[in-house]
Amino acid sequence: ENLMPILPGGGRILFAGHSFFAPVAETFNKVAEHWSYPNHKSIDPVKSGGITGSPINLWNDPVDKLKIIQALQQDPPPQILALTLHNDTIADHYQIWLNEAKLHNPNISLLIGIPFYPEGAITPTLEMAKSVKESYPLLKELVQEVRDNNPDTNIYVIECTSESIAMKYMYDEGLLEEDVPNGILCSNGCLYRDATPGHPGSMMYDMAALIWLNILYGMDPMSFAPPPGIDFYTEAAVGNITTVAINANEVGNWN
């Protein structure tokens, strides 16, 4: 069933995760505020790098755990708790957080964000695509287990791996020369900022925010006019990247 957009008009979403996830949330909030979605309320994302940003490690870290619980205690509370995953993530890790979140909002939903493909700068594009395709069955089993354990709770998924592959393919074909003028790997103006773990450049983060805004709020990425602090990108690149990724999320039957 296609449930998009999930929150037409905006909403209150608490994002918590690592550096392949939380920076997207920061841009998401900036754009949503700029576009004045009537029901949007920005909540500061909780960010913890690498494996420390996985659901179980956020729970086990007293500082991060307190930040998330304090955000859940806001009045009104978040409508969605958005967490990402790491290689060690299992359904029980989401369940711990859902049990806590429901103490503050019995109707809260969970959003699972599948992050960008790691080490994208040094991985051939076809290998990335093959690896992602092979990973989906296990990821879908994980999501289904969470849903089975919470039949009265909305469990949503947004994946960013399709965006990673689309942008890497477009770069390989010379279609992003205006948007990432400094090449594939550098500290600024490139497709990626480092080889390992493979942090994206600003464009990949920004495109992910537009994809999230479409799926969550229904925003048309082609109507996007960047707020201060967000780069402008060519219309063709924005259209191609977001169309591929949004379609992949729909065709993938994640929601």
Side-chain angles (χ1 to χ4, degrees):
E1 182 181 1
N2 182 6
L3 302 176
M4 297 181 282
I6 293 168
L7 292 172
R12 302 179 304 282
I13 306 174
L14 169 58
F15 298 94
H18 47 57
S19 55
F20 279 40
F21 181 75
V24 183
E26 294 168 350
T27 301
F28 175 95
N29 282 334
K30 287 179 184 177
V31 177
E33 290 170 2
H34 181 71
W35 277 67
S36 301
Y37 283 95
N39 300 322
H40 173 80
K41 179 186 178 185
S42 291
I43 301 173
D44 289 339
V46 178
K47 179 180 177 181
S48 189
I51 195 171
T52 65
S54 72
I56 191 61
N57 286 312
L58 290 171
W59 179 264
N60 289 334
D61 184 281
V63 175
D64 290 333
K65 181 179 180 180
L66 179 61
K67 288 179 182 176
I68 295 171
I69 290 175
Q70 287 177 334
L72 290 168
Q73 291 172 336
Q74 293 184 17
D75 185 18
Q79 295 163 277
I80 295 178
L81 172 62
L83 302 171
T84 186
L85 51 77
H86 206 273
N87 293 337
D88 68 339
T89 303
I90 60 175
D92 287 349
H93 299 168
Y94 294 114
Q95 195 62 52
I96 293 169
W97 277 115
L98 267 175
N99 292 343
E100 175 66 35
K102 289 178 181 178
L103 296 176
H104 310 285
N105 178 6
N107 298 315
I108 198 165
S109 301
L110 174 68
L111 171 63
I112 298 173
I114 300 174
F116 305 106
Y117 189 92
E119 300 187 348
I122 57 175
T123 305
T125 307
L126 289 177
E127 183 179 327
M128 288 172 62
K130 181 175 181 288
S131 177
V132 166
K133 184 177 180 180
E134 292 173 348
S135 72
Y136 278 0
L138 285 176
L139 288 172
K140 290 199 171 187
E141 286 182 16
L142 169 65
V143 173
Q144 191 57 51
E145 184 177 352
V146 179
R147 286 181 171 140
D148 290 344
N149 293 337
N150 300 273
D152 298 323
T153 301
N154 290 321
I155 311 294
Y156 304 115
V157 177
I158 300 179
E159 59 92 355
C160 288
T161 50
S162 296
E163 178 203 347
S164 300
I165 296 167
M167 291 189 68
K168 183 73 181 299
Y169 174 81
M170 290 175 66
Y171 177 85
D172 293 344
E173 296 297 310
L175 301 175
L176 294 180
E177 292 179 354
E178 292 183 51
D179 298 286
V180 284
N182 296 334
I184 193 166
L185 183 60
C186 65
S187 60
N188 185 44
C190 288
L191 193 62
Y192 291 93
R193 288 193 291 113
D194 54 41
T196 303
H199 288 102
S202 58
M203 184 182 189
M204 198 173 291
Y205 283 126
D206 291 346
M207 293 301 99
L210 296 187
I211 294 158
W212 289 12
L213 281 156
N214 174 268
I215 294 171
L216 289 165
Y217 289 2
M219 190 189 92
D220 177 6
M222 295 308 295
S223 65
F224 175 63
I230 305 297
D231 291 335
F232 281 86
Y233 301 105
T234 60
E235 184 175 310
V238 173
N240 288 331
I241 294 163
T242 58
T243 297
V244 168
I246 291 165
N247 287 345
N249 272 273
E250 293 177 354
V251 173
N253 294 318
W254 292 102
N255 298 300

